[in-house]
Amino acid sequence: MPHSYLKPLLDNNGSKIILLVLDGLGGIALTQDGKTALEYAKTPHLDRLAEEGTLGQTIPIRYGITPGSGPAHLALFGYEPLEYVIGRGALSAAGINLSVKAGDIAARGNLSTFDKNRNILDRRAGRISQPDAAPVIALLNQVQIPGVEVEVRQVKEYRFVLVMRGDGLDSSLNDTDPQETGVQPLTVEAQNPKAKKTAELINKWIEEAYQVLSDQPVANGFLLRGFATDPGFPSYEDAYELEAVCIAEYPMYKGVSRLVGMDVIEDVGAGPAGEFTTAKDHWNEHDFFFIHIKKTDSYGEDGNLEAKAKIIEEVDQAIPILLDLNPDVILVTGDHSTPSVLKSHSWHPVPFLLWAPKTHRTDHETSFTERNCARGGLGTFPAVETMSLALAHAGRLQKFGA
Amino acid sequence: MPHSYLKPLLDNNGSKIILLVLDGLGGIALTQDGKTALEYAKTPHLDRLAEEGTLGQTIPIRYGITPGSGPAHLALFGYEPLEYVIGRGALSAAGINLSVKAGDIAARGNLSTFDKNRNILDRRAGRISQPDAAPVIALLNQVQIPGVEVEVRQVKEYRFVLVMRGDGLDSSLNDTDPQETGVQPLTVEAQNPKAKKTAELINKWIEEAYQVLSDQPVANGFLLRGFATDPGFPSYEDAYELEAVCIAEYPMYKGVSRLVGMDVIEDVGAGPAGEFTTAKDHWNEHDFFFIHIKKTDSYGEDGNLEAKAKIIEEVDQAIPILLDLNPDVILVTGDHSTPSVLKSHSWHPVPFLLWAPKTHRTDHETSFTERNCARGGLGTFPAVETMSLALAHAGRLQKFGA
């Protein structure tokens, strides 16, 4: 359970919280006169919230640790990321709303190209397109073996998810993907005795599926990785008494939200203004709104500071849509830093803005930048404390002790 | 293991890290217009690194806890100081490179002056000099009893280390030093049943050794304390995949470095410039350089702010020697604070400077002082996170999770 001391203190007062996550928000300036994307961007609305509210910076996982998106979001949601671990298969299945219950197993798959000796020529089948991959994946979905039910569903292009349902399954299995070409895919082996039967079943299914694809011109093979089962996380409702909803454009963020029991809106408006308008359209149905902006991270990974700054400006311009809803708490932060100069996720602390006009304590800072956040009133704190701050500033936590 | 989540993420990319420890660096200014030694010192080079890089301050052990040198350095090295405890005997033995293996026991000893009834007149034998003490300690080294091998070696002046090697030894033994005069030394007793045989052996050795010294004019007795065995810590190589080296003038810091598997350079240049030149001379042999400056602490303990500031200035003037080596990461910090006004170690946070020109995030701060460090971009953090930050900024840690 996220911070078990919170639960006895919960007071569902109907207040509303917005957690706005700009993926990979943090950047780095290597010199005093350098600028991060957040410093480069013109952000009058965010600066106004910063001036009125409180700044801080978060450590996503631990000092020095560069997070993947899964653990970084779990931390923001209050789930200690070293304790709550999601297998890639379960995360991918959740992303496309494919049911994986406790005891089911799920794996992430890529269509691939094999030679006639079943050596891997291309691990991604030439990145075969969505329409070209769809009928091949439909063929895989028809491969069934006795005793279990197998479902295979396309995620995007050559990527798919496989779910096997039946009794006595165990996901302690190695990947078939050797992560290199010129060799055969690996056989699945049980990583502990309980998974022996599952390994036999999955190998049998794989062999039949290889036969079915053998005539395909390009995608005549596939690779599986990240075998996992439902991680069985406590829900937001259980942990926080919040009716939470996810507004995100990308499957992975919908997936991690489903794993903590959030509702997920499938039909989301495009861009920051579109996503905020979706929140507005569903305002009365929920009391916690997780809104995820992907492109700050994507442009950070491209090393494109100007484009990252432009997305931040688009977010800034759309902020009035959120303010017009009169939320009790707005948090603006990232899941991790993605500095354009590094072109990758990084370990640097993440800017954090808390605005709660009835409860926030203002600090000395008046603009929303990395440098100002480092001196902000909330200090430097673990991202896993985000939900505690959100609940407190929303008036949803009673006094601890007499 | 230091932070066990680091090990699976290690990526030995050959980058180079310097950890420069100014012992007891932190000071306190009791009033707004007061100055610490670090504020008093002219430090143009350190200020330049501060302006370019990031500041912060560390909590060595826990809030309010004044550390000894052993735990303070273990924390900087990433070894949780409440968990990794070194007995004084083992630390002293390591300091003079005297082998203590698992199962051996080591104790710290002082030559002393006893009266004819074996009551203690002087616990340190009038602080007898190095040459006067040497032949007495050589006599002790000749005292042997059946079943074990005993080695006694001088550390400095009246101080020595005793190591007993044999089967079935156990270091759960009390000190013989009663920490007062006018009474007899204590008999060694086993603190648990497994140490019973060892207590008998050590008491037998002590009795024979007292006889051997009984004719000495001054040092006719001795006191033992800090019985300990090899703590068996994981090595830097194991924990971090680093080829680490210690450059220090004092045995104790060499000792704690040896206990974490660092190489130790015995022939070290004098003063900051000398030590930095030693680093330069060995630059290609290692990838982690722990450089220890002792005199900041010594002058702090003397209450001599000007002399402490002068040593800091000497360090500052020698910084270009390190910069010319093009290290990937330089960390400048202390193991603890030793404010001149307190004339002792203290619990105050310790100034921390991180300079890593390819990966640091600059902050608002432009000079290396306690007050600026308190507002720096790294915030206030446990000293035990130092190595995680060092590894991350050196590009030696891969992403955690997908």
Side-chain angles (χ1 to χ4, degrees):
Chain A
M1 181 68 71
H3 291 336
S4 56
Y5 50 84
L6 295 177
K7 192 160 169 74
L9 311 179
L10 292 174
D11 177 11
N12 187 346
N13 65 357
S15 56
K16 298 211 184 226
I17 301 166
I18 294 172
L19 171 62
L20 171 58
V21 175
L22 281 65
D23 203 300
L25 175 62
I28 59 180
L30 292 173
T31 59
Q32 274 290 329
D33 54 359
K35 275 192 161 67
T36 68
L38 184 56
E39 290 169 342
Y40 185 84
K42 289 195 175 52
T43 55
H45 295 103
L46 290 168
D47 290 346
R48 180 198 134 192
L49 299 188
E51 180 170 349
E52 294 180 10
T54 318
L55 300 183
Q57 58 179 5
T58 63
I59 304 297
I61 310 290
R62 292 290 189 276
Y63 282 86
I65 300 301
T66 296
S69 296
H73 275 84
L74 284 176
L76 283 176
F77 296 161
Y79 296 71
E80 165 54 47
L82 296 186
E83 178 185 348
Y84 291 90
V85 175
I86 318 176
R88 185 79 198 195
L91 188 57
S92 297
I96 57 169
N97 204 13
L98 185 57
S99 167
V100 180
K101 297 209 161 50
D104 299 344
I105 61 163
R108 184 63 192 268
N110 282 355
L111 293 179
S112 315
T113 308
F114 293 170
D115 73 10
K116 63 183 192 305
N117 298 318
R118 209 178 273 176
N119 290 310
I120 301 163
L121 292 173
D122 187 323
R123 291 174 55 247
R124 297 183 186 86
R127 295 182 183 270
I128 182 175
S129 72
Q130 182 91 358
D132 287 347
V136 184
I137 291 169
L139 284 176
L140 286 179
N141 192 40
Q142 285 167 24
V143 179
Q144 297 294 332
I145 55 171
V148 288
E149 178 205 324
V150 176
E151 185 172 359
V152 179
R153 181 111 56 94
Q154 190 171 21
V155 177
K156 205 175 179 187
E157 298 159 358
Y158 57 90
R159 304 181 195 93
F160 64 87
V161 174
L162 172 149
V163 176
M164 182 178 277
R165 304 184 181 100
D167 293 332
L169 299 180
D170 190 296
S171 63
S172 304
L173 305 168
N174 63 277
D175 297 350
T176 73
D177 187 347
Q179 302 279 348
E180 56 180 324
T181 55
V183 298
Q184 295 194 343
L186 303 172
T187 300
V188 174
E189 282 172 37
Q191 307 295 296
N192 72 45
K194 285 196 300 182
K196 198 152 175 280
K197 176 190 144 195
T198 314
E200 286 166 15
L201 286 164
I202 195 79
N203 282 323
K204 188 170 157 64
W205 183 89
I206 288 170
E207 189 54 42
E208 294 201 14
Y210 283 163
Q211 300 297 335
V212 167
L213 296 199
S214 60
D215 294 338
Q216 290 295 318
V218 178
N220 65 347
F222 59 89
L223 297 168
L224 298 175
R225 60 200 162 91
F227 284 96
T229 189
D230 169 45
F233 293 167
S235 71
Y236 250 54
E237 173 69 36
D238 253 21
Y240 305 130
E241 296 180 9
L242 285 171
E243 295 288 331
V245 67
C246 163
I247 297 172
E249 293 191 276
Y250 278 62
M252 146 130 216
Y253 311 96
K254 297 178 180 179
V256 68
S257 300
R258 280 198 184 90
L259 291 176
V260 297
M262 289 191 200
D263 287 338
V264 172
I265 298 176
E266 284 299 344
D267 190 15
V268 169
E275 293 192 55
F276 294 0
T277 303
T278 299
K280 179 181 170 183
D281 294 342
H282 294 265
W283 189 245
N284 293 327
E285 301 155 29
H286 303 278
D287 43 28
F288 182 89
F289 295 77
F290 161 51
I291 307 178
H292 181 266
I293 307 291
K294 174 64 182 173
K295 286 188 177 165
T296 33
D297 178 58
S298 313
Y299 285 125
E301 294 210 319
D302 292 345
N304 190 339
L305 186 138
E306 284 83 2
K308 186 175 173 183
K310 190 160 176 304
I311 295 293
I312 295 171
E313 291 182 350
E314 283 179 30
V315 169
D316 187 80
Q317 285 151 24
I319 288 286
I321 300 170
L322 298 180
L323 291 175
D324 285 348
L325 299 169
N326 289 314
D328 295 276
V329 178
I330 299 179
L331 307 173
V332 186
T333 187
D335 53 341
H336 52 75
S337 294
T338 304
S340 308
V341 290
L342 298 183
K343 297 189 181 185
S344 67
H345 292 199
S346 83
W347 61 91
H348 298 87
V350 183
F352 189 95
L353 188 166
L354 185 153
W355 181 85
K358 284 175 261 178
T359 58
H360 61 219
R361 170 194 283 168
T362 195
D363 54 22
H364 277 304
E365 307 309 320
T366 57
S367 67
F368 186 45
T369 70
E370 286 83 356
R371 280 179 256 212
N372 289 80
C373 284
R375 305 200 300 191
L378 294 170
T380 303
F381 61 98
V384 78
E385 305 298 345
T386 299
M387 284 304 302
S388 301
L389 289 171
L391 292 164
H393 284 85
R396 284 174 169 265
L397 291 179
Q398 296 176 318
K399 187 162 62 175
F400 175 84
Chain B
M1 181 69 70
H3 293 334
S4 56
Y5 51 82
L6 295 177
K7 192 160 167 77
L9 308 179
L10 292 174
D11 178 12
N12 187 346
N13 65 356
S15 55
K16 300 218 181 215
I17 300 167
I18 294 172
L19 171 62
L20 172 58
V21 176
L22 281 66
D23 204 300
L25 174 62
I28 59 179
L30 291 172
T31 58
Q32 273 292 328
D33 54 358
K35 275 193 160 67
T36 69
L38 184 57
E39 290 168 344
Y40 186 85
K42 288 196 175 52
T43 54
H45 295 104
L46 290 168
D47 289 346
R48 179 197 136 193
L49 299 188
E51 177 169 348
E52 294 179 8
T54 316
L55 300 182
Q57 59 180 3
T58 62
I59 303 298
I61 311 291
R62 293 289 188 276
Y63 282 89
I65 301 302
T66 296
S69 296
H73 276 86
L74 283 177
L76 283 176
F77 297 163
Y79 296 71
E80 166 53 47
L82 295 188
E83 179 186 346
Y84 290 90
V85 176
I86 316 177
R88 185 77 198 196
L91 187 57
S92 296
I96 57 170
N97 204 11
L98 185 57
S99 168
V100 180
K101 298 208 161 52
D104 299 345
I105 62 163
R108 182 64 191 268
N110 283 357
L111 294 179
S112 316
T113 309
F114 293 170
D115 73 10
K116 64 183 189 305
N117 298 317
R118 210 179 272 176
N119 289 309
I120 302 163
L121 292 174
D122 187 321
R123 290 175 54 249
R124 297 184 186 84
R127 294 183 184 268
I128 182 175
S129 71
Q130 181 89 2
D132 288 347
V136 184
I137 292 169
L139 283 177
L140 285 180
N141 191 41
Q142 285 168 24
V143 179
Q144 297 295 334
I145 55 171
V148 288
E149 178 205 327
V150 176
E151 185 172 0
V152 178
R153 181 112 55 95
Q154 190 170 22
V155 177
K156 204 173 180 187
E157 299 158 356
Y158 57 90
R159 304 180 195 94
F160 64 86
V161 175
L162 171 149
V163 175
M164 182 178 279
R165 304 184 182 103
D167 292 331
L169 299 179
D170 190 295
S171 63
S172 303
L173 306 167
N174 62 276
D175 298 349
T176 72
D177 187 349
Q179 301 279 346
E180 56 182 323
T181 56
V183 298
Q184 294 194 344
L186 302 173
T187 301
V188 174
E189 282 173 37
Q191 306 298 294
N192 72 44
K194 284 197 298 179
K196 200 153 173 282
K197 176 190 146 197
T198 314
E200 287 167 14
L201 287 164
I202 195 79
N203 282 323
K204 188 169 158 65
W205 184 88
I206 288 170
E207 190 52 43
E208 295 202 14
Y210 284 163
Q211 302 295 335
V212 168
L213 297 200
S214 58
D215 296 337
Q216 290 296 319
V218 179
N220 65 346
F222 59 88
L223 298 167
L224 298 176
R225 57 197 162 94
F227 285 97
T229 187
D230 169 44
F233 292 169
S235 71
Y236 251 54
E237 173 70 34
D238 253 20
Y240 305 130
E241 295 179 9
L242 285 172
E243 296 288 333
V245 66
C246 163
I247 297 172
E249 294 191 274
Y250 278 63
M252 143 127 217
Y253 310 96
K254 297 178 182 179
V256 68
S257 300
R258 279 196 186 93
L259 291 176
V260 298
M262 288 191 201
D263 288 339
V264 172
I265 298 176
E266 286 297 346
D267 190 15
V268 169
E275 292 193 56
F276 294 180
T277 303
T278 300
K280 179 181 170 182
D281 294 342
H282 293 265
W283 188 245
N284 294 327
E285 299 155 30
H286 303 279
D287 42 29
F288 181 89
F289 295 77
F290 161 50
I291 306 178
H292 181 265
I293 307 292
K294 175 64 182 170
K295 287 189 176 164
T296 34
D297 178 58
S298 312
Y299 286 125
E301 294 209 318
D302 292 346
N304 191 340
L305 185 138
E306 285 81 3
K308 186 176 174 182
K310 190 161 176 301
I311 296 293
I312 295 171
E313 291 181 351
E314 283 179 29
V315 168
D316 188 81
Q317 286 151 23
I319 288 286
I321 300 171
L322 298 181
L323 290 176
D324 285 347
L325 298 169
N326 289 314
D328 295 276
V329 178
I330 298 179
L331 307 174
V332 186
T333 187
D335 53 342
H336 53 75
S337 293
T338 304
S340 308
V341 291
L342 298 183
K343 297 188 182 183
S344 66
H345 291 202
S346 81
W347 61 90
H348 299 85
V350 183
F352 189 97
L353 187 166
L354 186 155
W355 181 84
K358 284 176 260 178
T359 58
H360 61 216
R361 172 193 280 168
T362 196
D363 55 22
H364 276 305
E365 308 309 321
T366 58
S367 68
F368 186 46
T369 71
E370 286 82 354
R371 282 178 253 214
N372 290 84
C373 285
R375 306 199 302 189
L378 295 170
T380 302
F381 61 97
V384 78
E385 304 299 345
T386 299
M387 285 304 301
S388 300
L389 289 172
L391 292 165
H393 284 87
R396 285 175 168 266
L397 291 178
Q398 295 174 318
K399 187 160 67 171
F400 173 83

